[in-house]
Amino acid sequence: DVHPLTEGLRLVVMKRLQYDRQTREERVGPVLMGNISVAGPYDRQKPAADRLCEEIFQGKRKREREESFARVRPCLHSLFVQRQASLTEKVQKLRDEYKTLHGRWMVHCAKLDEVAKAAALEEAAATAGRTTRRSAAMGDAVRTDLEMEQIIASLGNDELTDANHLASKNAATIPDMISVTKGSIDYSYDDTNNVVEDLANFYTPNTCLEDWTEEEKEIFLEKYALYPKQFGII
């Protein structure tokens, strides 16, 4: 029995030996003519600009792009809807968590205020009955113009130092934080304003001694030895 691979190789070698006598043009010519006859007519003229633009923006390519957009649009829409729903759910969860923690913090602050109020009442009870010039001057009744001016000045100082009063006028609208849904941030802002590349050169104190020559340094030391700290003469 003859092996199929051996028989195939023998046929290839025999065919190659038969066509070795032909030239390259004789072998390539029939194949090239067959391809030319099968292929359609080729327009060698360069298309005009209007024709090219019309073919790209209004022809077959435009229809193909519109079809691809129509196929991709539902998928993108569903992805955006899912992302927005996940983001909304996470924001609501964070708000609920903040409300819970804020409520606990307010309860804790109320307990601390009660403790401080009890201590203040004990101190007031201990000092009850003693009236000094300072406590009499700071009562509810205003007796002189000086006391009125002092109270008005104290109210102005309170407005300048009260955090709640200042925040009511200078409150900033803080946007929501970037919500991370998959454990990493997809985008970030790289601020390169006033960036320092060479830290050693930037923070090294500039003494200008590097600009002096060795001869100038020797002259300065000699003059300084003759006239200590008299830089005008030096």
Side-chain angles (χ1 to χ4, degrees):
D1 295 338
V2 180
H3 197 273
L5 180 60
T6 305
E7 183 65 21
L9 291 175
R10 189 181 68 81
L11 292 175
V12 170
V13 172
M14 294 300 295
K15 293 293 183 181
R16 183 64 183 272
L17 291 175
Q18 292 177 2
Y19 284 99
D20 278 344
R21 299 176 183 178
Q22 295 178 348
T23 61
R24 181 174 181 275
E25 288 76 9
E26 292 177 351
R27 292 196 300 269
V28 175
V31 178
L32 181 59
M33 295 302 296
N35 292 336
I36 293 175
S37 63
V38 172
Y42 177 69
D43 187 7
R44 295 181 179 273
Q45 296 181 358
K46 185 177 180 180
D50 297 339
R51 179 182 174 186
L52 182 60
C53 293
E54 183 179 357
E55 180 182 356
I56 294 175
F57 294 106
Q58 298 181 2
K60 181 179 178 181
R61 296 183 181 180
K62 180 183 178 182
R63 292 193 298 270
E64 292 177 353
R65 287 199 304 271
E66 290 179 350
E67 292 175 358
S68 63
F69 292 161
R71 290 193 301 269
V72 174
R73 183 175 180 179
C75 181
L76 289 177
H77 182 266
S78 62
L79 289 177
F80 284 131
V81 170
Q82 293 177 3
R83 182 179 182 277
Q84 188 63 30
S86 176
L87 182 61
T88 304
E89 181 181 359
K90 185 171 184 179
V91 170
Q92 186 63 34
K93 181 180 178 181
L94 292 175
R95 288 179 178 175
D96 296 339
E97 184 179 359
Y98 174 78
K99 289 181 180 179
T100 303
L101 296 176
H102 183 68
R104 295 177 183 176
W105 172 250
M106 294 302 295
V107 171
H108 181 67
C109 291
K111 292 180 180 179
L112 294 178
D113 292 339
E114 291 178 358
V115 173
K117 187 182 295 184
L121 291 175
E122 292 178 359
E123 183 179 358
T127 59
R130 293 184 299 172
T131 304
T132 60
R133 182 177 298 177
R134 179 182 297 273
S135 61
M138 297 303 292
D140 295 335
V142 177
R143 298 177 179 83
T144 61
D145 294 338
L146 178 61
E147 293 181 1
M148 176 64 74
E149 293 177 358
Q150 290 178 352
I151 293 174
I152 294 174
S154 64
L155 292 176
N157 293 329
D158 292 340
E159 291 181 355
L160 294 176
T161 57
D162 188 7
N164 295 325
H165 181 74
L166 295 175
S168 63
K169 296 182 179 179
N170 302 325
T173 303
I174 301 175
D176 294 336
M177 295 186 297
I178 298 176
S179 180
V180 179
T181 57
K182 296 183 179 180
S184 62
I185 300 176
D186 298 333
Y187 50 87
S188 61
Y189 174 65
D190 185 11
D191 188 4
T192 58
N193 294 330
N194 300 324
V195 63
V196 178
E197 299 291 345
D198 190 0
L199 298 178
N201 189 20
F202 182 79
Y203 289 105
T204 300
N206 186 12
T207 58
C208 298
L209 294 177
E210 295 82 3
D211 300 334
W212 289 22
T213 62
E214 296 297 332
E215 184 179 0
E216 291 174 344
K217 292 180 181 179
E218 293 178 359
I219 294 173
F220 175 77
L221 294 176
E222 292 177 358
K223 296 294 183 181
Y224 188 83
L226 294 175
Y227 310 101
K229 296 185 179 181
Q230 299 182 17
F231 296 102
I233 300 176
I234 294 173

